[in-house]
Amino acid sequence: MTTNIAFIGFGGVGQALAEILLEREQSLQKQYGLDTKIVAVADMKKGSVYHPDGLDVKELIACVREKGSLEAYDGGASITKGLSSIDTIIQSNADVIVEVTFTDVKTGEPAITHCRTAFEHGKSVVTTNKGPVALAYRELAEMADQNDVYFGFEGTVMSGTPALRMPMETLAGNTITEIRGILNGTTNYILTEMEKGQSYEEALKKAQQLGYAEADPTSDVEGYDARYKAAILSNYIMGIPLAHTDVECKGISGITLNQVQSALKEGKRWKLLASIKQENGKVSASVKPECIESNDPLASVSGATNAILYECDLSGPILLTGAGAGLKETGFSLLIDLIHYQKKKKLAKI
């Protein structure tokens, strides 16, 4: 059975997923029974287009990249244009909403409203937006369950690196007592460059030139991005509610070149670490710079790479490393969720 998809937001990540679905159409059908059709796209800046029988993916991408607008999409008289994101969710025949809008992580909007609307109308959601999971996970997970739909958000912590699904599935049966991680590639890149002798300002500028850091790098360098991810890990992996505001947070902007170089001479390295610990049903969490010994499993993680260490009572410590950003990698995280949506759909028929 074909899965109809509506994209809410169609920036780089959404386009990356659309390309993956197009390029791997046959293998996804053969291996996973995942037969998809993009029926709608709604983007606040690029406009919207909807056809219940499906859209031409190549033309969609060409319109956006060459003309910057979906208004140029030529689908004949049967094409509907101009629907808002909410109208697209409600009125389209999509089974799954791919929610990849630019969202204010402080409020989780507009992504939280998009998720609520989809669930209320019996539609599943896959998203890479941290806001809905960090701020409203319990509510949204319950809504999805009550409406018998799927809620996927693998890409919210480490992009295409399965930081959420691996512990929940592969490490099932363990009690995870602590999670420590380098969850922000920008800050890890900056600290790595400072180890090479660059000042904080020089390293930050280079990170911005390479696209690792935004023009306003505050969310990364002050630890806010990692703080939201710490809340997601507590809520989802440990099953213990934790507000992001309850996560102690300090960034790297105060770390000096002298501190980094002195640590190296002592066989240590500075890292911005997120730490989530559970004990007796309670959880504590922090995001802060730490000077760690060279034999710490996280010490060898350099550049923009992310890493996460799970302390498990049965299997012992498990370290996972991989990209924490990138368009194709993040698009892949959405594909992971779509494949698992398909598996859930198959199981429901048995």
Side-chain angles (χ1 to χ4, degrees):
M1 182 181 291
T2 301
T3 295
N4 291 340
I5 294 174
F7 281 81
I8 305 301
F10 203 57
V13 172
Q15 292 170 47
L17 173 61
E19 287 183 321
I20 291 170
L21 293 175
L22 181 63
E23 292 167 2
R24 307 205 174 183
E25 182 179 5
Q26 292 185 353
S27 63
L28 289 170
Q29 289 178 13
K30 185 176 180 180
Q31 287 182 263
Y32 308 106
L34 181 62
D35 181 14
T36 60
K37 183 166 61 180
I38 298 173
V39 297
V41 177
D43 186 283
M44 186 173 66
K45 293 182 178 180
K46 302 176 182 72
S48 70
V49 59
Y50 167 55
H51 194 299
D53 295 332
L55 301 168
D56 185 310
V57 179
K58 288 183 180 179
E59 187 179 348
L60 280 174
I61 294 172
C63 284
V64 169
R65 293 181 181 173
E66 295 171 13
K67 301 179 182 178
S69 172
L70 292 167
E71 292 302 313
Y73 185 91
D74 182 15
S78 56
I79 287 288
T80 300
K81 294 183 180 180
L83 293 178
S84 68
S85 58
I86 296 297
D87 288 338
T88 298
I89 294 169
I90 295 172
Q91 296 179 28
S92 75
N93 63 337
D95 304 299
V96 179
I97 304 300
V98 176
E99 211 294 336
V100 282
T101 59
F102 181 80
T103 287
D104 183 346
V105 76
K106 294 179 182 178
T107 64
E109 295 296 353
I112 289 178
T113 296
H114 291 156
C115 291
R116 284 184 184 133
T117 303
F119 295 152
E120 287 169 353
H121 290 82
K123 299 181 181 184
S124 296
V125 172
V126 298
T127 185
T128 56
N129 270 318
K130 294 182 291 291
V133 193
L135 276 62
Y137 170 68
R138 292 279 169 178
E139 174 202 346
L140 295 175
E142 287 176 6
M143 282 187 71
D145 187 56
Q146 289 167 2
N147 290 281
D148 195 28
V149 292
Y150 180 79
F151 184 28
F153 43 87
E154 179 60 68
T156 58
V157 173
M158 279 174 61
S159 186
T161 304
L164 298 178
R165 185 160 280 109
M166 190 196 78
M168 293 298 282
E169 296 186 3
T170 310
L171 300 179
N174 283 282
T175 295
I176 298 176
T177 56
E178 182 179 2
I179 303 172
R180 295 171 65 233
I182 297 168
L183 303 182
N184 183 271
T186 301
T187 50
N188 204 52
Y189 175 82
I190 291 171
L191 291 170
T192 299
E193 291 301 301
M194 290 174 73
E195 289 177 351
K196 298 175 183 177
Q198 295 193 40
S199 68
Y200 169 80
E201 291 76 18
E202 289 170 336
L204 172 58
K205 185 177 181 180
K206 190 173 179 182
Q208 289 172 321
Q209 290 172 343
L210 291 171
Y212 294 146
E214 301 288 343
D216 179 359
T218 304
S219 180
D220 291 324
V221 300
E222 297 304 336
Y224 304 147
D225 173 70
R227 179 169 65 173
Y228 287 106
K229 294 172 180 177
I232 292 171
L233 289 165
S234 178
N235 282 289
Y236 185 63
I237 302 298
M238 292 183 167
I240 302 173
L242 178 72
H244 71 281
T245 50
D246 291 331
V247 178
E248 176 192 349
C249 186
K250 183 179 180 181
I252 67 164
S253 57
I255 300 294
T256 66
L257 178 59
N258 183 58
Q259 283 178 290
V260 173
Q261 293 292 315
S262 295
L264 275 181
K265 292 175 183 177
E266 296 174 8
K268 299 177 181 180
R269 302 183 78 179
W270 280 95
K271 298 291 179 185
L272 181 69
L273 295 185
S275 176
I276 307 98
K277 298 179 183 179
Q278 70 159 313
E279 191 174 8
N280 300 321
K282 294 183 179 180
V283 69
S284 60
S286 66
V287 171
K288 59 185 178 183
E290 295 185 35
C291 189
I292 59 178
E293 299 287 346
S294 59
N295 62 355
D296 188 303
L298 295 170
S300 61
V301 180
S302 300
T305 303
N306 282 193
I308 193 163
L309 181 68
Y310 306 94
E311 293 290 348
C312 306
D313 63 340
L314 298 178
S315 64
I318 301 290
L319 178 67
L320 176 67
T321 65
L327 297 180
K328 182 171 283 188
E329 293 86 349
T330 310
F332 167 68
S333 75
L334 292 163
L335 177 63
I336 295 173
D337 284 328
L338 286 173
I339 289 170
H340 281 266
Y341 160 83
Q342 180 66 22
K343 287 182 178 180
K344 179 181 177 181
K345 198 164 68 169
K346 282 184 178 179
L347 288 172
K349 292 180 179 180
I350 296 174

